[in-house]
Amino acid sequence: MSDKKTALFPGSFDPFTKGHQDIVRRALKLFDEVVIAIGYNSAKSRYFEVEYMVERVKSAFRSNENVSVIVYNELTADLAKKTDAAFLIRGLRNTTDFEYENSISQVNRYLNSELETVFLITSPEYAHISSTIIREVHKYDGDISPFIPYEL
Ligand code: ADP
């Protein structure tokens, strides 16, 4: 393992939002490198195509060489081992997020005892942003540009 502190930020990112971007920016103060890992399961349909989202997220971080974007289709705990990431980053908006994230982090630690999940509490200005709501707005031709950090 290298001395670099690498953190994996896994998620569906369907789509990646300004809330997610805020988590990445803040994580960069704690870690040398952040790998945004877009989970892709071909059995589950996405609203935004995964390759399209990879390109969009890359464009949002093009000036930051410490951020990379990958697609994965395996256990997050295994991906962390492969990418030499000792940390997982997750964002917390509310108690619903907490309940869910608490369970996942316990399972991930069981699967990979070296992996530490680090939770960042959402910034208040992004607390209301959710991918689910953005998809709904977009579906009915609403303008989602205030919620995403790139042009569609
Ligand atoms: P998943 O399907 O794995 O929950 P998401 O793409 O919905 O993936 O979210 C990825 C991570 O980002 C999760 O930890 C989620 O709680 C967090 N997150 C989502 N929206 C926000 C936001 N507005 N502010 C902070 N964290 C967020």
Side-chain angles (χ1 to χ4, degrees):
M1 214 179 239
S2 73
D3 292 340
K4 265 194 180 175
K5 275 195 177 156
T6 302
L8 201 59
F9 184 30
S12 317
F13 305 122
D14 189 19
F16 190 91
T17 71
K18 283 189 177 173
H20 295 131
Q21 181 194 38
D22 176 59
I23 297 291
V24 173
R25 282 191 180 147
R26 289 163 52 205
L28 284 168
K29 294 180 190 158
L30 302 170
F31 305 103
D32 301 312
E33 258 181 59
V34 173
V35 179
I36 300 168
I38 307 185
Y40 177 61
N41 175 349
S42 54
K44 281 195 198 159
S45 67
R46 288 180 62 94
Y47 185 82
F48 291 99
E49 294 234 2
V50 71
E51 290 305 336
Y52 178 69
M53 197 43 56
V54 167
E55 288 316 310
R56 297 293 77 213
V57 179
K58 279 186 179 166
S59 78
F61 290 101
R62 65 181 154 245
S63 59
N64 200 323
E65 59 191 29
N66 299 324
V67 177
S68 53
V69 187
I70 59 173
V71 175
Y72 77 108
N73 182 11
E74 64 184 305
L75 285 174
T76 307
D78 290 342
L79 178 72
K81 277 185 204 159
K82 278 188 202 161
T83 51
D84 261 356
F87 305 93
L88 275 190
I89 307 163
R90 297 287 286 178
L92 291 179
R93 283 164 296 185
N94 47 43
T95 53
T96 311
D97 276 354
F98 172 77
E99 298 287 342
Y100 177 65
E101 298 294 339
N102 185 17
S103 314
I104 305 183
S105 72
Q106 304 297 351
V107 174
N108 280 330
R109 202 196 334 232
Y110 164 76
L111 294 169
N112 174 353
S113 58
E114 299 296 304
L115 192 57
E116 216 41 88
T117 305
V118 175
F119 297 103
L120 296 180
I121 302 284
T122 183
S123 302
E125 61 269 43
Y126 303 117
H128 63 286
I129 299 182
S130 89
S131 299
T132 310
I133 294 173
I134 292 177
R135 287 197 298 273
E136 281 298 297
V137 173
H138 189 263
K139 195 163 121 187
Y140 295 105
D141 293 329
D143 176 19
I144 63 168
S145 60
F147 309 115
I148 54 174
Y150 43 80
E151 280 183 24
L152 274 188

